[in-house]
Amino acid sequence: MTDDPMAGLAHSEAHYFNSYNHHGIHEEMLKDEVRTRSYRDSIYQNGHLFKDKVVLDVGCGTSILSMFATLPKPSWPPPRAFLDSNAGAKHVIGVDMSTIIEKAKEIVEVNGMSDKITLLQGKMEEVVLPFPQVDIIISEWMGYFLLYESMLDTVLFARDKYLAPGGLIFPDKATIYMAGIEDGDYKEEKIGFWDNVWGFDYTPLKHTALTEPLVDTVEMKAVVTDPAPVFNIDLYTVKKEDLAFSSQFSLNVRRNDFVHAIIAWFDIEFTACHKPIKFSTGPHTKYTHWKQTVFYIHDVLTVETGEKIVGQLTNKPNEKNPRDLDIAISYKLETEDPHRVASGAGHYKM
Amino acid sequence: MTDDPMAGLAHSEAHYFNSYNHHGIHEEMLKDEVRTRSYRDSIYQNGHLFKDKVVLDVGCGTSILSMFATLPKPSWPPPRAFLDSNAGAKHVIGVDMSTIIEKAKEIVEVNGMSDKITLLQGKMEEVVLPFPQVDIIISEWMGYFLLYESMLDTVLFARDKYLAPGGLIFPDKATIYMAGIEDGDYKEEKIGFWDNVWGFDYTPLKHTALTEPLVDTVEMKAVVTDPAPVFNIDLYTVKKEDLAFSSQFSLNVRRNDFVHAIIAWFDIEFTACHKPIKFSTGPHTKYTHWKQTVFYIHDVLTVETGEKIVGQLTNKPNEKNPRDLDIAISYKLETEDPHRVASGAGHYKM
């Protein structure tokens, strides 16, 4: 069993990664404590904002956010925050394209909320809502790297068509951050691997591997630079065309080390809350199912404390499939040591 | 960080489970040492069988098996077994539906084997082979639970249409085994979870969860019964219709314990080899990417050493999507203790 890569894993940790079952993504999201608790608290702690309001849940999935906003009497003893809350929307409309909505309807029914929650299967652009406008939009629309396969377009469509003047959006701010990491061993395992596969030259797949960002957990101790924000959106004002962007970054090197990859993550804010709620998907805090996104660079940068890695991040939706992303990262090590000068650029698809 | 479910994982182990990237499945298969080494050895140790033969690789992927059968001069120092081998097919034809074949062509080219390997993208039923018949079929066609999304149908089609009389199939035998396991903690985490999700009743998804087998690694210490073979195929003679089957099983209980699930795995044999090669995907041996398949049963069986769990496994391809499977498992605990008598049946989809 010593050759078994699972050997170090407890049973439940091994199970944790199982994404085979059809509803696995919903299980993963519901079990993502950081995500679900942030949404719950943003609603439960702000009952005064939800009371008697019409709420639209864009991409409602299993309807957990719709139920939070409805605040019914659940069959199970509710958590303390539940009992303390004054909230209770007048009506919640949940919209989702997926067949999961059939299960959501059953769940809403067994929780006695069918008269308060209307669930509609279809595209946001096509469904007919039972209300001409809504007071609040709630949505968990974020994808890997914030924007990969995200439903943000759909949220913006719903905002422009249905949100009443002065209406609220939960959450309403998102920021992408970047940093440089030391990741030599794993870069060798993922990229170097293709140099010799069972005795053969697999370099055609090495190129592919370099163009595909990894979605993975990065340990804080691997982070070599300060983080830097590179993209920020306000959901009240952002337009679809703003999601194709180009942004400069400057990463301050914290210690003498090597940099094999640039990573990105995002923070989310609910600023409409009485006491603002935010969460991060960065390497410095608790695990979320979004993990971090790792972009291996061609070079290995040899960096010293106080130097900077400057560059540019460009992102645009893929022309063929707008839910996919074409990402470019250029980088340059600003150093006074001529032997360590390095710059380059990578193109990535996700 | 203590709430982080990744906390116990080394970086590379966490990375190991990443299946996000597009060619991730090929990386996972190539890095599956048990799988790839068994195929390689079945070819390299049997050069006398491959020499000057025409070989068909069904579902060739990145063409690793085609290259093993060709035995070229790789650009990298080849392993010892390579140098000792007398093998070398006259020609290898690789067929795959996937666009990976474009990368396979590049790989074959950089390894200098383009004149020995012909790669064809398309369905086995539609492509035109450069030879009217082949001497050997090699294929890595197995899916989870052996038959899920497997290419076995395609291999049988190729056998019936192209394999010369007396021709060989690598591998040629497959056997499914079952056993009972104790898995209380994880059953609670995966199934019991749906009883109370953030204060709500999610039992509609509990039913779904019970009908979906998990593909996951099971620790040997969780296995409570002896294994029992339930399905066996000989690739020279099996017919497509044989893949819908019903089979009795009898599992001898090894120790006083509880049984929460029935698991299944498969063994694979290359009996044409001079010295037969086989590998297992069971819990008693090294990790493979097929892991094991876990079927949770409705009851918890309280079992004693020497008792038997008897039952029936029924498998048939789903009518709408023949690559999916409809599986039924009935079970009965044979005990003389009237207080522990239990029987039931579960229906599963995968």
Side-chain angles (χ1 to χ4, degrees), chain A residues 9 15 18 30-31 62 76 186 189 196 198 201-202 215-216, chain B residues 9 15 18 31 62 76 111 186 189 196 198 202 215-216:
Chain A
L9 304 180
H15 273 291
N18 184 302
L30 292 165
K31 286 183 173 175
T62 64
W76 189 271
Y186 197 63
E189 193 179 325
N196 172 17
W198 295 90
D201 178 348
Y202 262 64
V215 174
D216 220 323
Chain B
L9 304 180
H15 274 291
N18 186 303
K31 286 184 172 174
T62 64
W76 190 269
N111 286 283
Y186 197 63
E189 194 180 325
N196 172 20
W198 296 89
Y202 262 63
V215 174
D216 221 322

PDB file of all heavy atoms in Angstrom, chain A residues 9 15 18 30-31 62 76 186 189 196 198 201-202 215-216, chain B residues 9 15 18 31 62 76 111 186 189 196 198 202 215-216:
ATOM      1  N   LEU A   9      -4.293   9.804   3.002  1.00  0.00           N
ATOM      2  CA  LEU A   9      -5.610  10.417   3.149  1.00  0.00           C
ATOM      3  C   LEU A   9      -6.503   9.628   4.087  1.00  0.00           C
ATOM      4  O   LEU A   9      -6.597   8.413   3.988  1.00  0.00           O
ATOM      5  CB  LEU A   9      -6.324  10.472   1.796  1.00  0.00           C
ATOM      6  CG  LEU A   9      -5.584  11.175   0.663  1.00  0.00           C
ATOM      7  CD1 LEU A   9      -6.437  11.126  -0.586  1.00  0.00           C
ATOM      8  CD2 LEU A   9      -5.298  12.598   1.047  1.00  0.00           C
ATOM      9  N   HIS A  15     -12.878  10.669   0.149  1.00  0.00           N
ATOM     10  CA  HIS A  15     -14.252  10.806  -0.346  1.00  0.00           C
ATOM     11  C   HIS A  15     -14.549  12.244  -0.762  1.00  0.00           C
ATOM     12  O   HIS A  15     -15.299  12.490  -1.680  1.00  0.00           O
ATOM     13  CB  HIS A  15     -15.232  10.411   0.759  1.00  0.00           C
ATOM     14  CG  HIS A  15     -15.524   8.945   0.804  1.00  0.00           C
ATOM     15  ND1 HIS A  15     -16.233   8.304  -0.170  1.00  0.00           N
ATOM     16  CD2 HIS A  15     -15.225   8.005   1.727  1.00  0.00           C
ATOM     17  CE1 HIS A  15     -16.362   7.031   0.144  1.00  0.00           C
ATOM     18  NE2 HIS A  15     -15.754   6.817   1.290  1.00  0.00           N
ATOM     19  N   ASN A  18     -14.582  13.291  -4.354  1.00  0.00           N
ATOM     20  CA  ASN A  18     -15.412  12.573  -5.290  1.00  0.00           C
ATOM     21  C   ASN A  18     -16.411  13.526  -5.924  1.00  0.00           C
ATOM     22  O   ASN A  18     -17.250  14.109  -5.253  1.00  0.00           O
ATOM     23  CB  ASN A  18     -16.148  11.469  -4.527  1.00  0.00           C
ATOM     24  CG  ASN A  18     -16.957  10.617  -5.442  1.00  0.00           C
ATOM     25  OD1 ASN A  18     -17.815  11.115  -6.147  1.00  0.00           O
ATOM     26  ND2 ASN A  18     -16.670   9.340  -5.449  1.00  0.00           N
ATOM     27  N   LEU A  30     -23.114  23.116  -1.002  1.00  0.00           N
ATOM     28  CA  LEU A  30     -23.814  23.198   0.286  1.00  0.00           C
ATOM     29  C   LEU A  30     -22.862  22.927   1.443  1.00  0.00           C
ATOM     30  O   LEU A  30     -23.024  23.477   2.534  1.00  0.00           O
ATOM     31  CB  LEU A  30     -24.983  22.206   0.315  1.00  0.00           C
ATOM     32  CG  LEU A  30     -26.141  22.551  -0.632  1.00  0.00           C
ATOM     33  CD1 LEU A  30     -27.065  21.351  -0.800  1.00  0.00           C
ATOM     34  CD2 LEU A  30     -26.925  23.762  -0.124  1.00  0.00           C
ATOM     35  N   LYS A  31     -21.866  22.063   1.195  1.00  0.00           N
ATOM     36  CA  LYS A  31     -20.889  21.748   2.245  1.00  0.00           C
ATOM     37  C   LYS A  31     -19.757  22.768   2.304  1.00  0.00           C
ATOM     38  O   LYS A  31     -18.884  22.664   3.169  1.00  0.00           O
ATOM     39  CB  LYS A  31     -20.330  20.331   2.029  1.00  0.00           C
ATOM     40  CG  LYS A  31     -21.339  19.235   2.403  1.00  0.00           C
ATOM     41  CD  LYS A  31     -20.758  17.837   2.269  1.00  0.00           C
ATOM     42  CE  LYS A  31     -21.738  16.800   2.819  1.00  0.00           C
ATOM     43  NZ  LYS A  31     -21.288  15.406   2.606  1.00  0.00           N
ATOM     44  N   THR A  62     -30.416  24.153  -5.671  1.00  0.00           N
ATOM     45  CA  THR A  62     -31.317  23.408  -4.790  1.00  0.00           C
ATOM     46  C   THR A  62     -32.227  24.345  -3.981  1.00  0.00           C
ATOM     47  O   THR A  62     -32.957  23.882  -3.112  1.00  0.00           O
ATOM     48  CB  THR A  62     -30.532  22.531  -3.799  1.00  0.00           C
ATOM     49  OG1 THR A  62     -29.769  23.383  -2.932  1.00  0.00           O
ATOM     50  CG2 THR A  62     -29.598  21.577  -4.526  1.00  0.00           C
ATOM     51  N   TRP A  76     -36.601  20.904  10.977  1.00  0.00           N
ATOM     52  CA  TRP A  76     -35.499  20.601  11.884  1.00  0.00           C
ATOM     53  C   TRP A  76     -35.329  21.798  12.836  1.00  0.00           C
ATOM     54  O   TRP A  76     -35.541  22.927  12.440  1.00  0.00           O
ATOM     55  CB  TRP A  76     -34.231  20.396  11.060  1.00  0.00           C
ATOM     56  CG  TRP A  76     -33.074  19.874  11.845  1.00  0.00           C
ATOM     57  CD1 TRP A  76     -32.139  20.584  12.508  1.00  0.00           C
ATOM     58  CD2 TRP A  76     -32.733  18.514  12.037  1.00  0.00           C
ATOM     59  NE1 TRP A  76     -31.236  19.761  13.099  1.00  0.00           N
ATOM     60  CE2 TRP A  76     -31.576  18.471  12.826  1.00  0.00           C
ATOM     61  CE3 TRP A  76     -33.295  17.307  11.620  1.00  0.00           C
ATOM     62  CZ2 TRP A  76     -30.975  17.282  13.208  1.00  0.00           C
ATOM     63  CZ3 TRP A  76     -32.692  16.137  11.995  1.00  0.00           C
ATOM     64  CH2 TRP A  76     -31.556  16.120  12.782  1.00  0.00           C
ATOM     65  N   TYR A 186       5.794  20.680  -7.670  1.00  0.00           N
ATOM     66  CA  TYR A 186       4.549  20.319  -8.341  1.00  0.00           C
ATOM     67  C   TYR A 186       4.541  20.745  -9.805  1.00  0.00           C
ATOM     68  O   TYR A 186       3.941  20.070 -10.651  1.00  0.00           O
ATOM     69  CB  TYR A 186       3.342  20.896  -7.600  1.00  0.00           C
ATOM     70  CG  TYR A 186       2.101  20.194  -8.050  1.00  0.00           C
ATOM     71  CD1 TYR A 186       1.951  18.830  -7.813  1.00  0.00           C
ATOM     72  CD2 TYR A 186       1.127  20.854  -8.767  1.00  0.00           C
ATOM     73  CE1 TYR A 186       0.859  18.152  -8.271  1.00  0.00           C
ATOM     74  CE2 TYR A 186       0.023  20.188  -9.227  1.00  0.00           C
ATOM     75  CZ  TYR A 186      -0.112  18.836  -8.981  1.00  0.00           C
ATOM     76  OH  TYR A 186      -1.201  18.169  -9.457  1.00  0.00           O
ATOM     77  N   GLU A 189       5.999  17.944 -11.507  1.00  0.00           N
ATOM     78  CA  GLU A 189       5.074  16.806 -11.567  1.00  0.00           C
ATOM     79  C   GLU A 189       4.000  17.006 -12.636  1.00  0.00           C
ATOM     80  O   GLU A 189       3.538  16.055 -13.271  1.00  0.00           O
ATOM     81  CB  GLU A 189       4.436  16.641 -10.177  1.00  0.00           C
ATOM     82  CG  GLU A 189       3.699  15.345  -9.962  1.00  0.00           C
ATOM     83  CD  GLU A 189       3.126  15.270  -8.549  1.00  0.00           C
ATOM     84  OE1 GLU A 189       3.773  15.786  -7.612  1.00  0.00           O
ATOM     85  OE2 GLU A 189       2.021  14.718  -8.398  1.00  0.00           O
ATOM     86  N   ASN A 196       8.952  12.934 -20.393  1.00  0.00           N
ATOM     87  CA  ASN A 196       9.277  11.510 -20.475  1.00  0.00           C
ATOM     88  C   ASN A 196       8.154  10.700 -19.857  1.00  0.00           C
ATOM     89  O   ASN A 196       8.094  10.521 -18.658  1.00  0.00           O
ATOM     90  CB  ASN A 196      10.584  11.213 -19.737  1.00  0.00           C
ATOM     91  CG  ASN A 196      10.861   9.720 -19.629  1.00  0.00           C
ATOM     92  OD1 ASN A 196      10.276   8.895 -20.352  1.00  0.00           O
ATOM     93  ND2 ASN A 196      11.742   9.353 -18.714  1.00  0.00           N
ATOM     94  N   TRP A 198       6.707   7.162 -19.667  1.00  0.00           N
ATOM     95  CA  TRP A 198       6.976   5.744 -19.911  1.00  0.00           C
ATOM     96  C   TRP A 198       7.997   5.554 -21.041  1.00  0.00           C
ATOM     97  O   TRP A 198       7.873   4.636 -21.853  1.00  0.00           O
ATOM     98  CB  TRP A 198       5.673   4.992 -20.213  1.00  0.00           C
ATOM     99  CG  TRP A 198       4.757   4.981 -19.039  1.00  0.00           C
ATOM    100  CD1 TRP A 198       3.802   5.917 -18.754  1.00  0.00           C
ATOM    101  CD2 TRP A 198       4.700   4.023 -17.972  1.00  0.00           C
ATOM    102  NE1 TRP A 198       3.167   5.604 -17.578  1.00  0.00           N
ATOM    103  CE2 TRP A 198       3.688   4.440 -17.081  1.00  0.00           C
ATOM    104  CE3 TRP A 198       5.413   2.848 -17.676  1.00  0.00           C
ATOM    105  CZ2 TRP A 198       3.370   3.744 -15.914  1.00  0.00           C
ATOM    106  CZ3 TRP A 198       5.080   2.139 -16.520  1.00  0.00           C
ATOM    107  CH2 TRP A 198       4.079   2.594 -15.672  1.00  0.00           C
ATOM    108  N   ASP A 201       8.485  10.676 -25.583  1.00  0.00           N
ATOM    109  CA  ASP A 201       8.470  12.138 -25.590  1.00  0.00           C
ATOM    110  C   ASP A 201       7.023  12.612 -25.753  1.00  0.00           C
ATOM    111  O   ASP A 201       6.415  12.425 -26.803  1.00  0.00           O
ATOM    112  CB  ASP A 201       9.341  12.614 -26.771  1.00  0.00           C
ATOM    113  CG  ASP A 201       9.370  14.121 -26.911  1.00  0.00           C
ATOM    114  OD1 ASP A 201       8.552  14.814 -26.266  1.00  0.00           O
ATOM    115  OD2 ASP A 201      10.207  14.610 -27.690  1.00  0.00           O
ATOM    116  N   TYR A 202       6.472  13.181 -24.700  1.00  0.00           N
ATOM    117  CA  TYR A 202       5.082  13.655 -24.730  1.00  0.00           C
ATOM    118  C   TYR A 202       5.009  15.186 -24.728  1.00  0.00           C
ATOM    119  O   TYR A 202       4.031  15.759 -24.264  1.00  0.00           O
ATOM    120  CB  TYR A 202       4.323  13.098 -23.514  1.00  0.00           C
ATOM    121  CG  TYR A 202       3.493  11.857 -23.809  1.00  0.00           C
ATOM    122  CD1 TYR A 202       4.087  10.671 -24.212  1.00  0.00           C
ATOM    123  CD2 TYR A 202       2.103  11.880 -23.668  1.00  0.00           C
ATOM    124  CE1 TYR A 202       3.337   9.540 -24.476  1.00  0.00           C
ATOM    125  CE2 TYR A 202       1.344  10.749 -23.932  1.00  0.00           C
ATOM    126  CZ  TYR A 202       1.963   9.580 -24.328  1.00  0.00           C
ATOM    127  OH  TYR A 202       1.217   8.469 -24.586  1.00  0.00           O
ATOM    128  N   VAL A 215      -6.949  24.556 -11.238  1.00  0.00           N
ATOM    129  CA  VAL A 215      -7.768  25.002 -10.117  1.00  0.00           C
ATOM    130  C   VAL A 215      -7.405  24.114  -8.945  1.00  0.00           C
ATOM    131  O   VAL A 215      -7.633  22.898  -8.997  1.00  0.00           O
ATOM    132  CB  VAL A 215      -9.266  24.904 -10.442  1.00  0.00           C
ATOM    133  CG1 VAL A 215     -10.096  25.242  -9.218  1.00  0.00           C
ATOM    134  CG2 VAL A 215      -9.604  25.826 -11.601  1.00  0.00           C
ATOM    135  N   ASP A 216      -6.788  24.681  -7.952  1.00  0.00           N
ATOM    136  CA  ASP A 216      -6.231  23.838  -6.906  1.00  0.00           C
ATOM    137  C   ASP A 216      -5.971  24.653  -5.646  1.00  0.00           C
ATOM    138  O   ASP A 216      -5.934  25.876  -5.680  1.00  0.00           O
ATOM    139  CB  ASP A 216      -4.926  23.226  -7.402  1.00  0.00           C
ATOM    140  CG  ASP A 216      -4.796  21.794  -6.967  1.00  0.00           C
ATOM    141  OD1 ASP A 216      -5.210  21.478  -5.843  1.00  0.00           O
ATOM    142  OD2 ASP A 216      -4.289  21.003  -7.765  1.00  0.00           O
TER     143      ASP A 216
ATOM    144  N   LEU B   9      -3.835  17.242   3.851  1.00  0.00           N
ATOM    145  CA  LEU B   9      -3.307  16.790   2.581  1.00  0.00           C
ATOM    146  C   LEU B   9      -1.988  17.466   2.244  1.00  0.00           C
ATOM    147  O   LEU B   9      -1.854  18.675   2.368  1.00  0.00           O
ATOM    148  CB  LEU B   9      -4.282  17.130   1.456  1.00  0.00           C
ATOM    149  CG  LEU B   9      -5.692  16.604   1.605  1.00  0.00           C
ATOM    150  CD1 LEU B   9      -6.513  17.024   0.407  1.00  0.00           C
ATOM    151  CD2 LEU B   9      -5.676  15.097   1.719  1.00  0.00           C
ATOM    152  N   HIS B  15      -3.305  18.173  -5.169  1.00  0.00           N
ATOM    153  CA  HIS B  15      -3.246  18.337  -6.614  1.00  0.00           C
ATOM    154  C   HIS B  15      -3.693  17.075  -7.332  1.00  0.00           C
ATOM    155  O   HIS B  15      -4.293  17.137  -8.390  1.00  0.00           O
ATOM    156  CB  HIS B  15      -1.803  18.644  -7.036  1.00  0.00           C
ATOM    157  CG  HIS B  15      -1.446  20.092  -6.960  1.00  0.00           C
ATOM    158  ND1 HIS B  15      -1.989  21.024  -7.806  1.00  0.00           N
ATOM    159  CD2 HIS B  15      -0.605  20.764  -6.157  1.00  0.00           C
ATOM    160  CE1 HIS B  15      -1.468  22.211  -7.533  1.00  0.00           C
ATOM    161  NE2 HIS B  15      -0.634  22.085  -6.524  1.00  0.00           N
ATOM    162  N   ASN B  18      -7.085  16.799  -8.856  1.00  0.00           N
ATOM    163  CA  ASN B  18      -7.540  17.806  -9.786  1.00  0.00           C
ATOM    164  C   ASN B  18      -7.879  17.171 -11.127  1.00  0.00           C
ATOM    165  O   ASN B  18      -7.044  16.596 -11.793  1.00  0.00           O
ATOM    166  CB  ASN B  18      -6.416  18.824  -9.973  1.00  0.00           C
ATOM    167  CG  ASN B  18      -6.862  19.980 -10.805  1.00  0.00           C
ATOM    168  OD1 ASN B  18      -7.296  19.791 -11.928  1.00  0.00           O
ATOM    169  ND2 ASN B  18      -6.775  21.156 -10.253  1.00  0.00           N
ATOM    170  N   LYS B  31      -0.555   8.228 -15.441  1.00  0.00           N
ATOM    171  CA  LYS B  31       0.075   8.174 -14.127  1.00  0.00           C
ATOM    172  C   LYS B  31      -0.443   7.020 -13.274  1.00  0.00           C
ATOM    173  O   LYS B  31       0.030   6.811 -12.159  1.00  0.00           O
ATOM    174  CB  LYS B  31      -0.130   9.509 -13.392  1.00  0.00           C
ATOM    175  CG  LYS B  31       0.740  10.637 -13.954  1.00  0.00           C
ATOM    176  CD  LYS B  31       0.604  11.937 -13.169  1.00  0.00           C
ATOM    177  CE  LYS B  31       1.621  12.975 -13.646  1.00  0.00           C
ATOM    178  NZ  LYS B  31       1.448  14.304 -13.016  1.00  0.00           N
ATOM    179  N   THR B  62      -3.907   8.861 -26.068  1.00  0.00           N
ATOM    180  CA  THR B  62      -2.649   9.525 -26.434  1.00  0.00           C
ATOM    181  C   THR B  62      -1.702   8.582 -27.184  1.00  0.00           C
ATOM    182  O   THR B  62      -0.579   8.956 -27.463  1.00  0.00           O
ATOM    183  CB  THR B  62      -1.922  10.046 -25.182  1.00  0.00           C
ATOM    184  OG1 THR B  62      -1.546   8.935 -24.370  1.00  0.00           O
ATOM    185  CG2 THR B  62      -2.798  10.999 -24.388  1.00  0.00           C
ATOM    186  N   TRP B  76      14.139   9.307 -25.443  1.00  0.00           N
ATOM    187  CA  TRP B  76      14.572   9.240 -24.057  1.00  0.00           C
ATOM    188  C   TRP B  76      15.206   7.871 -23.820  1.00  0.00           C
ATOM    189  O   TRP B  76      14.782   6.894 -24.419  1.00  0.00           O
ATOM    190  CB  TRP B  76      13.352   9.430 -23.158  1.00  0.00           C
ATOM    191  CG  TRP B  76      13.693   9.617 -21.719  1.00  0.00           C
ATOM    192  CD1 TRP B  76      13.817   8.653 -20.773  1.00  0.00           C
ATOM    193  CD2 TRP B  76      13.933  10.851 -21.063  1.00  0.00           C
ATOM    194  NE1 TRP B  76      14.126   9.209 -19.569  1.00  0.00           N
ATOM    195  CE2 TRP B  76      14.211  10.562 -19.709  1.00  0.00           C
ATOM    196  CE3 TRP B  76      13.953  12.178 -21.474  1.00  0.00           C
ATOM    197  CZ2 TRP B  76      14.492  11.551 -18.772  1.00  0.00           C
ATOM    198  CZ3 TRP B  76      14.233  13.157 -20.553  1.00  0.00           C
ATOM    199  CH2 TRP B  76      14.504  12.843 -19.216  1.00  0.00           C
ATOM    200  N   ASN B 111       8.167  11.042 -31.707  1.00  0.00           N
ATOM    201  CA  ASN B 111       8.854   9.823 -31.308  1.00  0.00           C
ATOM    202  C   ASN B 111       9.281   8.985 -32.517  1.00  0.00           C
ATOM    203  O   ASN B 111       9.707   7.836 -32.360  1.00  0.00           O
ATOM    204  CB  ASN B 111       7.975   9.013 -30.346  1.00  0.00           C
ATOM    205  CG  ASN B 111       7.920   9.646 -28.958  1.00  0.00           C
ATOM    206  OD1 ASN B 111       8.858   9.537 -28.184  1.00  0.00           O
ATOM    207  ND2 ASN B 111       6.838  10.355 -28.669  1.00  0.00           N
ATOM    208  N   TYR B 186     -18.895   7.507   7.096  1.00  0.00           N
ATOM    209  CA  TYR B 186     -18.995   8.169   5.808  1.00  0.00           C
ATOM    210  C   TYR B 186     -20.393   8.072   5.203  1.00  0.00           C
ATOM    211  O   TYR B 186     -20.845   8.981   4.501  1.00  0.00           O
ATOM    212  CB  TYR B 186     -17.932   7.631   4.844  1.00  0.00           C
ATOM    213  CG  TYR B 186     -17.785   8.581   3.697  1.00  0.00           C
ATOM    214  CD1 TYR B 186     -17.333   9.880   3.925  1.00  0.00           C
ATOM    215  CD2 TYR B 186     -18.165   8.224   2.425  1.00  0.00           C
ATOM    216  CE1 TYR B 186     -17.243  10.786   2.901  1.00  0.00           C
ATOM    217  CE2 TYR B 186     -18.073   9.130   1.389  1.00  0.00           C
ATOM    218  CZ  TYR B 186     -17.609  10.406   1.632  1.00  0.00           C
ATOM    219  OH  TYR B 186     -17.545  11.305   0.611  1.00  0.00           O
ATOM    220  N   GLU B 189     -22.103  10.918   6.548  1.00  0.00           N
ATOM    221  CA  GLU B 189     -21.660  12.163   5.920  1.00  0.00           C
ATOM    222  C   GLU B 189     -22.246  12.350   4.523  1.00  0.00           C
ATOM    223  O   GLU B 189     -22.518  13.478   4.095  1.00  0.00           O
ATOM    224  CB  GLU B 189     -20.122  12.129   5.845  1.00  0.00           C
ATOM    225  CG  GLU B 189     -19.465  13.446   5.530  1.00  0.00           C
ATOM    226  CD  GLU B 189     -17.934  13.296   5.491  1.00  0.00           C
ATOM    227  OE1 GLU B 189     -17.383  12.494   6.273  1.00  0.00           O
ATOM    228  OE2 GLU B 189     -17.312  13.963   4.651  1.00  0.00           O
ATOM    229  N   ASN B 196     -30.636  17.172   7.221  1.00  0.00           N
ATOM    230  CA  ASN B 196     -30.637  18.525   7.779  1.00  0.00           C
ATOM    231  C   ASN B 196     -29.543  19.342   7.134  1.00  0.00           C
ATOM    232  O   ASN B 196     -28.393  19.271   7.532  1.00  0.00           O
ATOM    233  CB  ASN B 196     -30.423  18.477   9.299  1.00  0.00           C
ATOM    234  CG  ASN B 196     -30.215  19.858   9.887  1.00  0.00           C
ATOM    235  OD1 ASN B 196     -30.569  20.883   9.285  1.00  0.00           O
ATOM    236  ND2 ASN B 196     -29.622  19.895  11.064  1.00  0.00           N
ATOM    237  N   TRP B 198     -28.327  22.933   6.640  1.00  0.00           N
ATOM    238  CA  TRP B 198     -28.445  24.315   7.092  1.00  0.00           C
ATOM    239  C   TRP B 198     -29.832  24.588   7.668  1.00  0.00           C
ATOM    240  O   TRP B 198     -30.402  25.661   7.476  1.00  0.00           O
ATOM    241  CB  TRP B 198     -28.111  25.297   5.950  1.00  0.00           C
ATOM    242  CG  TRP B 198     -26.697  25.189   5.500  1.00  0.00           C
ATOM    243  CD1 TRP B 198     -26.208  24.363   4.525  1.00  0.00           C
ATOM    244  CD2 TRP B 198     -25.567  25.895   6.028  1.00  0.00           C
ATOM    245  NE1 TRP B 198     -24.842  24.520   4.420  1.00  0.00           N
ATOM    246  CE2 TRP B 198     -24.431  25.456   5.305  1.00  0.00           C
ATOM    247  CE3 TRP B 198     -25.405  26.849   7.030  1.00  0.00           C
ATOM    248  CZ2 TRP B 198     -23.152  25.944   5.577  1.00  0.00           C
ATOM    249  CZ3 TRP B 198     -24.124  27.344   7.279  1.00  0.00           C
ATOM    250  CH2 TRP B 198     -23.023  26.889   6.553  1.00  0.00           C
ATOM    251  N   TYR B 202     -33.696  18.204   3.407  1.00  0.00           N
ATOM    252  CA  TYR B 202     -33.264  17.949   2.023  1.00  0.00           C
ATOM    253  C   TYR B 202     -33.461  16.473   1.636  1.00  0.00           C
ATOM    254  O   TYR B 202     -32.740  15.959   0.779  1.00  0.00           O
ATOM    255  CB  TYR B 202     -31.790  18.336   1.857  1.00  0.00           C
ATOM    256  CG  TYR B 202     -31.571  19.714   1.262  1.00  0.00           C
ATOM    257  CD1 TYR B 202     -32.009  20.854   1.920  1.00  0.00           C
ATOM    258  CD2 TYR B 202     -30.923  19.875   0.038  1.00  0.00           C
ATOM    259  CE1 TYR B 202     -31.804  22.116   1.386  1.00  0.00           C
ATOM    260  CE2 TYR B 202     -30.713  21.128  -0.504  1.00  0.00           C
ATOM    261  CZ  TYR B 202     -31.153  22.243   0.173  1.00  0.00           C
ATOM    262  OH  TYR B 202     -30.940  23.493  -0.375  1.00  0.00           O
ATOM    263  N   VAL B 215     -17.911   6.316  -6.591  1.00  0.00           N
ATOM    264  CA  VAL B 215     -16.638   5.759  -7.046  1.00  0.00           C
ATOM    265  C   VAL B 215     -15.581   6.333  -6.131  1.00  0.00           C
ATOM    266  O   VAL B 215     -15.357   7.543  -6.109  1.00  0.00           O
ATOM    267  CB  VAL B 215     -16.366   6.131  -8.511  1.00  0.00           C
ATOM    268  CG1 VAL B 215     -14.977   5.664  -8.920  1.00  0.00           C
ATOM    269  CG2 VAL B 215     -17.428   5.531  -9.409  1.00  0.00           C
ATOM    270  N   ASP B 216     -14.986   5.473  -5.345  1.00  0.00           N
ATOM    271  CA  ASP B 216     -14.118   5.985  -4.296  1.00  0.00           C
ATOM    272  C   ASP B 216     -13.187   4.899  -3.785  1.00  0.00           C
ATOM    273  O   ASP B 216     -13.411   3.726  -4.007  1.00  0.00           O
ATOM    274  CB  ASP B 216     -14.981   6.493  -3.144  1.00  0.00           C
ATOM    275  CG  ASP B 216     -14.439   7.786  -2.581  1.00  0.00           C
ATOM    276  OD1 ASP B 216     -13.204   7.916  -2.505  1.00  0.00           O
ATOM    277  OD2 ASP B 216     -15.247   8.645  -2.216  1.00  0.00           O
TER     278      ASP B 216
END
